[in-house]
Amino acid sequence: MKKYLSTVAAMSAFVAACASIGNAGATSPKIRSKPQSTPAIRKEPSSPSTRVAPASSYTRTDPRLEFFNALNSLRIAMGVGALRQDAALDAAAENHLEYMKLNAVMSHTEIPGTPGFTRSDPYQQVLAVGGSHKQWVGQNAYSGELAGCLAAMAGSVYHLQGITSNQETIGLAMRDNYCVANFGVVSAAGTGGYGLAQWGGQQLPPNTGAYYPVDNASVHGLFIPGGEIPNPAPDLARAGPPIMFRVNVEKPSDVLTVSNFILRGPGGNSVPARILVPIESKPGSVASAIEDASLYRGVAFLLPTQPIAAGTYTATFAGARNGVAISKSWSFTAY
């Protein structure tokens, strides 16, 4: 069974500019997720500055190249900005992959005295290879077929919010059926540490939103909630693909509320689904919204309560950011 973990405190191949993501949900992967860091020091928001994918040093035969390009294509399509390769994050990811392989574990932290130990957590692991201490570092880890690494992260709740957040840099290690992705926020105020800061980095313009699946995407109609730890829907053995909407909430006073979030399928029929919101969003949101402590601030999910059939679907979000109305409808297909 594929297993993967995520901590971003804060996919099989993409085709046609992120229009298609491979089947991630059906393999019931295991995930662990850690919330983003709580802001204590912050600065004014900055819009995503990387709208064209930068080049990397990964070669054509290196599986990291496909991951890097596919994730950047997705992030550009969503409007959250592409990521730059960072050699120190690469080196730290490689060291941690070797640690997991030598110890046959899936983890983000390392234990002193065990084979391959470098440092205790991803931030310290980056410092060990000469990376800057003035950054915030989060990490995703996965074991299984390498071609499915990004697909598994995108076809989930907590991983999806993590790979589409405000990070600016990335470092990858992919070999021997292990995949490690380190992410960094380098422009956030503060000294840096383990977990991605919610402030700084690539921030959405205040009056806009980002969503997934992107317009005209093709996604698998099945999601296995039990593949994530914590489980976003413990009562559901099978569900439909998670649908995400997110806004800029860089300041602690920024709040996203949800008044409606629906999915209509072929023929216009409403799809049974539940709305998941972070703790801060619950008071001002529709009464049926379910509070989820593992969601980032400014992120809301619509989770179909059963797998969805092949066809074209329209998602409609309605809510407010700091009391200012925001709404969006878009379409995607399921297979």
Side-chain angles (χ1 to χ4, degrees):
M1 180 182 356
K2 298 178 182 178
K3 296 182 179 180
Y4 56 112
L5 300 93
S6 173
T7 176
V8 185
M11 310 170 163
S12 45
F14 280 80
V15 297
C18 307
S20 176
I21 295 180
N23 180 354
T27 56
S28 188
K30 294 299 179 184
I31 310 169
R32 295 185 188 276
S33 182
K34 179 178 181 292
Q36 286 180 308
S37 295
T38 300
I41 304 172
R42 55 194 183 277
K43 63 179 185 177
E44 289 304 306
S46 57
S47 299
S49 58
T50 313
R51 302 184 185 280
V52 177
S56 75
S57 66
Y58 308 133
T59 65
R60 293 182 60 185
T61 57
D62 189 331
R64 295 179 296 176
L65 180 63
E66 182 177 356
F67 187 112
F68 179 83
N69 288 338
L71 178 55
N72 273 337
S73 293
L74 171 62
R75 289 181 59 92
I76 290 170
M78 288 182 61
V80 296
L83 306 177
R84 307 185 305 275
Q85 180 190 9
D86 183 286
L89 296 185
D90 280 336
E94 177 62 32
N95 285 344
H96 188 61
L97 185 154
E98 183 66 12
Y99 174 87
M100 292 194 300
K101 180 181 175 182
L102 289 173
N103 294 281
V105 297
M106 284 292 294
S107 67
H108 301 300
T109 57
E110 299 181 4
I111 301 173
T114 52
F117 173 80
T118 53
R119 294 279 182 88
S120 58
D121 62 54
Y123 174 70
Q124 294 294 330
Q125 292 157 22
V126 172
L127 296 186
V129 296
S132 171
H133 70 278
K134 294 183 178 180
Q135 64 178 318
W136 302 83
V137 178
Q139 184 185 87
N140 286 4
Y142 163 98
S143 68
E145 295 181 5
L146 296 183
C149 179
L150 190 54
M153 295 177 188
S156 67
V157 175
Y158 307 126
H159 276 66
L160 174 59
Q161 69 174 357
I163 63 174
T164 61
S165 191
N166 63 317
Q167 57 260 62
E168 298 162 289
T169 56
I170 185 173
L172 296 168
M174 298 178 70
R175 61 178 173 85
D176 301 325
N177 289 331
Y178 285 92
C179 172
V180 177
N182 283 336
F183 297 106
V185 173
V186 298
S187 64
T191 57
Y194 176 29
L196 298 186
Q198 292 187 66
W199 64 102
Q202 301 193 85
Q203 296 287 339
L204 289 164
N207 297 320
T208 65
Y211 50 88
Y212 181 88
V214 296
D215 293 295
N216 303 314
S218 180
V219 300
H220 194 252
L222 171 66
F223 168 58
I224 306 297
E228 292 208 79
I229 303 172
N231 187 335
D235 60 316
L236 301 178
R238 291 153 53 93
I243 302 165
M244 180 186 70
F245 192 87
R246 70 185 312 152
V247 299
N248 176 322
V249 290
E250 184 176 33
K251 297 178 181 178
S253 58
D254 294 333
V255 176
L256 171 68
T257 54
V258 182
S259 57
N260 202 12
F261 202 173
I262 61 173
L263 182 67
R264 295 193 181 279
N269 296 321
S270 179
V271 176
R274 62 184 56 165
I275 300 170
L276 306 178
V277 297
I279 295 172
E280 298 82 0
S281 297
K282 174 61 178 175
S285 295
V286 61
S288 60
I290 299 172
E291 180 181 302
D292 187 331
S294 295
L295 288 185
Y296 295 176
R297 293 174 55 250
V299 176
F301 272 88
L302 184 69
L303 181 64
T305 55
Q306 58 192 32
I308 62 175
T312 300
Y313 291 78
T314 299
T316 300
F317 174 89
R321 176 186 178 275
N322 298 342
V324 178
I326 184 169
S327 63
K328 179 66 181 179
S329 289
W330 70 98
S331 296
F332 63 89
T333 60
Y335 63 89

